[in-house]
Amino acid sequence: PLVMIKKSLLYILILTVSVFACAQKKDLTSGAISFTSYDFSSPEIFELPSALREISGIQSTGNTYPVFISQQDEDGSIFLHDQTISKVTEISFGERNDYEDITILNERVYVLQSNGNLHSFTLSTNSDGKKEASQYTQHQLSISTGEYEGLASLPHQNQLVLLCKSCTIDDDREQTTGYIIDVSSNQQLSINSQFSIDWNSIEEVSKNLKKAF
Protein backbone atom coordinates (compact mmCIF):
# COMPACT_ATOMS: atom_id res chain seq x y z
CA PRO A 1 0.00 0.00 0.00
CA LEU A 2 1.08 3.57 -0.71
CA VAL A 3 1.12 4.52 2.98
CA MET A 4 3.43 1.63 3.87
CA ILE A 5 5.71 2.51 0.95
CA LYS A 6 5.96 6.08 2.17
CA LYS A 7 6.71 4.92 5.71
CA SER A 8 9.46 2.65 4.39
CA LEU A 9 10.80 5.51 2.34
CA LEU A 10 10.85 7.77 5.39
CA TYR A 11 12.95 5.27 7.34
CA ILE A 12 15.32 4.93 4.39
CA LEU A 13 15.77 8.68 4.03
CA ILE A 14 16.36 9.11 7.77
CA LEU A 15 18.98 6.37 7.66
CA THR A 16 20.58 7.82 4.53
CA VAL A 17 20.79 11.36 5.84
CA SER A 18 22.14 10.12 9.18
CA VAL A 19 24.90 8.11 7.53
CA PHE A 20 25.75 10.96 5.16
CA ALA A 21 25.81 13.46 8.00
CA CYS A 22 28.20 11.30 10.00
CA ALA A 23 30.48 11.01 6.99
CA GLN A 24 30.45 14.76 6.46
CA LYS A 25 30.61 15.53 10.21
CA LYS A 26 27.98 18.24 9.78
CA ASP A 27 25.06 19.04 12.04
CA LEU A 28 21.77 18.52 10.20
CA THR A 29 19.61 18.99 13.29
CA SER A 30 20.29 22.67 13.91
CA GLY A 31 17.08 24.58 13.29
CA ALA A 32 15.06 21.42 12.72
CA ILE A 33 11.40 21.35 13.69
CA SER A 34 10.74 19.49 16.96
CA PHE A 35 7.64 17.33 17.33
CA THR A 36 8.20 16.48 21.01
CA SER A 37 5.15 18.52 22.07
CA TYR A 38 2.78 16.82 19.62
CA ASP A 39 0.32 14.38 21.17
CA PHE A 40 0.30 11.35 18.85
CA SER A 41 -2.49 9.75 20.89
CA SER A 42 -4.78 12.62 19.91
CA PRO A 43 -3.87 13.58 16.34
CA GLU A 44 -5.23 16.53 14.41
CA ILE A 45 -7.27 15.41 11.40
CA PHE A 46 -7.28 17.50 8.23
CA GLU A 47 -9.83 16.73 5.52
CA LEU A 48 -8.26 16.95 2.07
CA PRO A 49 -10.06 17.75 -1.20
CA SER A 50 -11.08 14.93 -3.54
CA ALA A 51 -8.34 16.01 -5.98
CA LEU A 52 -5.83 14.63 -3.48
CA ARG A 53 -7.27 11.12 -3.46
CA GLU A 54 -3.99 10.11 -5.16
CA ILE A 55 -1.71 12.30 -3.02
CA SER A 56 1.89 11.16 -3.39
CA GLY A 57 3.94 13.83 -1.63
CA ILE A 58 3.58 16.10 1.39
CA GLN A 59 6.00 18.53 3.02
CA SER A 60 5.90 20.70 6.11
CA THR A 61 6.60 24.25 5.02
CA GLY A 62 7.83 25.78 8.27
CA ASN A 63 7.72 29.56 8.04
CA THR A 64 8.05 29.68 4.25
CA TYR A 65 4.49 28.90 3.15
CA PRO A 66 1.19 28.12 4.93
CA VAL A 67 1.54 25.06 7.14
CA PHE A 68 2.15 22.34 4.55
CA ILE A 69 2.29 21.67 0.84
CA SER A 70 1.39 18.59 -1.19
CA GLN A 71 1.11 17.34 -4.74
CA GLN A 72 -1.23 15.06 -6.61
CA ASP A 73 0.04 11.92 -8.33
CA GLU A 74 -0.84 12.79 -11.94
CA ASP A 75 -1.81 16.45 -12.39
CA GLY A 76 0.87 19.13 -12.60
CA SER A 77 -0.51 20.90 -9.54
CA ILE A 78 0.49 21.50 -5.96
CA PHE A 79 -1.73 22.35 -3.01
CA LEU A 80 -1.12 24.86 -0.23
CA HIS A 81 -2.85 23.86 3.00
CA ASP A 82 -3.46 26.70 5.44
CA GLN A 83 -5.20 25.00 8.32
CA THR A 84 -5.33 28.22 10.34
CA ILE A 85 -8.20 29.28 8.09
CA SER A 86 -9.13 25.79 6.78
CA LYS A 87 -8.17 26.72 3.23
CA VAL A 88 -6.62 24.60 0.47
CA THR A 89 -5.32 26.39 -2.63
CA GLU A 90 -4.49 24.54 -5.85
CA ILE A 91 -1.65 25.93 -7.98
CA SER A 92 -0.80 24.59 -11.44
CA PHE A 93 2.90 24.35 -12.37
CA GLY A 94 3.15 21.97 -15.35
CA GLU A 95 1.67 19.25 -17.54
CA ARG A 96 0.05 16.00 -16.45
CA ASN A 97 2.67 13.41 -15.59
CA ASP A 98 3.65 10.87 -12.93
CA TYR A 99 4.79 12.88 -9.90
CA GLU A 100 6.09 11.15 -6.77
CA ASP A 101 7.31 13.57 -4.11
CA ILE A 102 7.80 17.20 -3.13
CA THR A 103 10.15 19.30 -1.02
CA ILE A 104 11.17 22.92 -0.45
CA LEU A 105 14.68 24.35 -0.46
CA ASN A 106 15.51 28.04 -0.11
CA GLU A 107 11.90 29.10 -0.76
CA ARG A 108 11.85 27.10 -4.00
CA VAL A 109 9.52 24.14 -4.53
CA TYR A 110 10.93 20.93 -6.06
CA VAL A 111 8.64 18.20 -7.44
CA LEU A 112 10.00 14.76 -8.36
CA GLN A 113 8.84 13.06 -11.54
CA SER A 114 8.95 9.26 -11.50
CA ASN A 115 11.71 9.15 -14.15
CA GLY A 116 14.03 11.21 -11.93
CA ASN A 117 13.44 14.61 -13.54
CA LEU A 118 12.90 17.49 -11.12
CA HIS A 119 10.53 20.40 -11.62
CA SER A 120 11.26 23.54 -9.62
CA PHE A 121 9.56 26.90 -9.21
CA THR A 122 8.85 29.66 -6.74
CA LEU A 123 5.46 30.83 -5.50
CA SER A 124 4.52 34.43 -6.17
CA THR A 125 1.39 36.53 -5.85
CA ASN A 126 -0.22 37.82 -9.06
CA SER A 127 -2.10 41.08 -9.63
CA ASP A 128 -5.34 39.43 -8.46
CA GLY A 129 -3.76 38.53 -5.13
CA LYS A 130 -3.62 34.81 -5.96
CA LYS A 131 -0.65 32.50 -5.56
CA GLU A 132 0.93 31.17 -8.76
CA ALA A 133 4.00 29.21 -9.84
CA SER A 134 6.77 31.31 -11.37
CA GLN A 135 10.38 30.91 -12.52
CA TYR A 136 9.61 27.33 -13.55
CA THR A 137 12.53 25.08 -14.52
CA GLN A 138 12.74 21.40 -15.44
CA HIS A 139 15.97 19.67 -14.43
CA GLN A 140 17.32 16.54 -16.13
CA LEU A 141 20.11 14.85 -14.20
CA SER A 142 22.78 12.33 -15.23
CA ILE A 143 21.43 9.51 -13.08
CA SER A 144 20.49 5.86 -13.51
CA THR A 145 17.41 5.12 -15.59
CA GLY A 146 14.47 3.73 -13.66
CA GLU A 147 11.67 4.78 -11.35
CA TYR A 148 12.23 7.25 -8.51
CA GLU A 149 10.13 7.59 -5.38
CA GLY A 150 11.66 9.88 -2.76
CA LEU A 151 12.91 13.46 -2.54
CA ALA A 152 14.15 15.40 0.50
CA SER A 153 16.14 18.57 1.17
CA LEU A 154 19.22 19.30 3.29
CA PRO A 155 18.83 23.06 3.88
CA HIS A 156 22.10 23.57 5.75
CA GLN A 157 24.06 21.95 2.92
CA ASN A 158 21.93 23.49 0.14
CA GLN A 159 21.40 20.00 -1.23
CA LEU A 160 18.66 17.61 -2.31
CA VAL A 161 18.48 13.85 -1.71
CA LEU A 162 17.01 11.75 -4.51
CA LEU A 163 16.08 8.10 -3.95
CA CYS A 164 15.39 5.27 -6.40
CA LYS A 165 12.40 3.00 -6.23
CA SER A 166 13.46 0.64 -9.02
CA CYS A 167 16.57 1.62 -10.97
CA THR A 168 18.66 -0.35 -13.47
CA ILE A 169 21.79 0.33 -11.41
CA ASP A 170 20.26 -1.83 -8.66
CA ASP A 171 19.30 -4.76 -10.90
CA ASP A 172 20.26 -8.08 -9.28
CA ARG A 173 21.48 -6.27 -6.17
CA GLU A 174 19.82 -6.11 -2.79
CA GLN A 175 20.26 -2.37 -2.47
CA THR A 176 18.60 0.98 -3.17
CA THR A 177 20.59 3.77 -4.83
CA GLY A 178 20.29 7.46 -4.13
CA TYR A 179 22.00 10.72 -5.05
CA ILE A 180 23.11 13.85 -3.20
CA ILE A 181 22.47 16.87 -5.44
CA ASP A 182 24.11 20.27 -5.06
CA VAL A 183 21.96 23.33 -5.75
CA SER A 184 23.88 26.42 -6.85
CA SER A 185 22.93 30.05 -6.18
CA ASN A 186 21.49 30.31 -9.72
CA GLN A 187 19.44 27.10 -9.26
CA GLN A 188 21.73 24.84 -11.29
CA LEU A 189 21.68 21.21 -10.11
CA SER A 190 24.70 18.89 -10.14
CA ILE A 191 25.44 15.45 -8.71
CA ASN A 192 27.60 15.69 -5.59
CA SER A 193 27.74 11.97 -4.80
CA GLN A 194 26.00 8.64 -5.19
CA PHE A 195 25.19 6.26 -2.34
CA SER A 196 23.52 2.89 -1.87
CA ILE A 197 21.54 1.45 1.03
CA ASP A 198 21.89 -2.26 1.68
CA TRP A 199 18.49 -3.82 2.37
CA ASN A 200 19.91 -5.65 5.38
CA SER A 201 20.67 -2.30 7.01
CA ILE A 202 16.99 -1.37 6.60
CA GLU A 203 16.02 -4.46 8.61
CA GLU A 204 18.37 -3.28 11.35
CA VAL A 205 16.28 -0.10 11.67
CA SER A 206 13.06 -2.09 11.96
CA LYS A 207 12.30 -5.78 11.53
CA ASN A 208 8.98 -4.75 9.98
CA LEU A 209 10.83 -3.21 7.03
CA LYS A 210 12.10 -5.88 4.71
CA LYS A 211 12.74 -4.82 1.13
CA ALA A 212 12.36 -1.05 0.72
CA PHE A 213 9.49 -1.15 -1.79
Side-chain angles (χ1 to χ4, degrees):
L2 181 59
V3 173
M4 291 305 297
I5 289 175
K6 289 297 182 182
K7 285 183 179 179
S8 298
L9 175 62
L10 179 60
Y11 278 114
I12 295 168
L13 284 176
I14 290 173
L15 178 63
T16 301
V17 172
S18 298
V19 171
F20 183 75
C22 291
Q24 295 293 313
K25 296 184 179 179
K26 295 179 179 179
D27 180 14
L28 300 181
T29 61
S30 177
I33 298 173
S34 172
F35 294 98
T36 55
S37 62
Y38 188 84
D39 184 1
F40 285 94
S41 65
S42 181
E44 296 180 76
I45 298 176
F46 302 133
E47 184 174 348
L48 302 181
S50 57
L52 287 173
R53 185 179 182 87
E54 290 293 328
I55 186 172
S56 59
I58 190 166
Q59 167 74 46
S60 172
T61 59
N63 296 323
T64 307
Y65 300 125
V67 186
F68 63 95
I69 192 170
S70 66
Q71 112 272 346
Q72 201 259 7
D73 188 56
E74 297 176 345
D75 294 332
S77 297
I78 64 168
F79 296 79
L80 297 180
H81 305 256
D82 189 344
Q83 297 305 138
T84 61
I85 55 175
S86 299
K87 181 179 180 181
V88 179
T89 303
E90 181 177 0
I91 300 173
S92 176
F93 70 86
E95 300 177 350
R96 285 178 59 86
N97 219 310
D98 186 10
Y99 300 106
E100 296 296 342
D101 211 352
I102 188 170
T103 193
I104 297 174
L105 181 64
N106 294 334
E107 299 189 7
R108 191 170 183 86
V109 179
Y110 291 85
V111 178
L112 171 64
Q113 190 176 331
S114 62
N115 65 357
N117 287 348
L118 293 175
H119 304 256
S120 72
F121 49 90
T122 59
L123 295 181
S124 59
T125 304
N126 62 25
S127 58
D128 295 327
K130 296 181 178 180
K131 290 285 187 181
E132 63 180 9
S134 59
Q135 302 179 34
Y136 169 85
T137 303
Q138 182 174 175
H139 309 271
Q140 292 183 324
L141 301 165
S142 298
I143 54 180
S144 172
T145 56
E147 187 174 356
Y148 288 78
E149 182 80 14
L151 178 67
S153 60
L154 302 176
H156 298 288
Q157 281 71 38
N158 207 37
Q159 294 174 324
L160 299 169
V161 181
L162 184 63
L163 194 67
C164 283
K165 175 181 180 180
S166 176
C167 291
T168 56
I169 195 172
D170 294 325
D171 287 351
D172 301 321
R173 301 178 182 179
E174 293 190 346
Q175 67 176 35
T176 296
T177 292
Y179 299 88
I180 305 294
I181 302 167
D182 290 331
V183 181
S184 69
S185 58
N186 62 349
Q187 309 307 322
Q188 296 298 308
L189 306 188
S190 59
I191 304 298
N192 174 287
S193 58
Q194 176 183 317
F195 62 87
S196 61
I197 304 172
D198 185 270
W199 292 347
N200 292 326
S201 66
I202 299 173
E203 289 190 55
E204 293 175 5
V205 175
S206 173
K207 295 301 181 182
N208 295 325
L209 297 176
K210 299 294 183 181
K211 182 180 175 181
F213 300 101

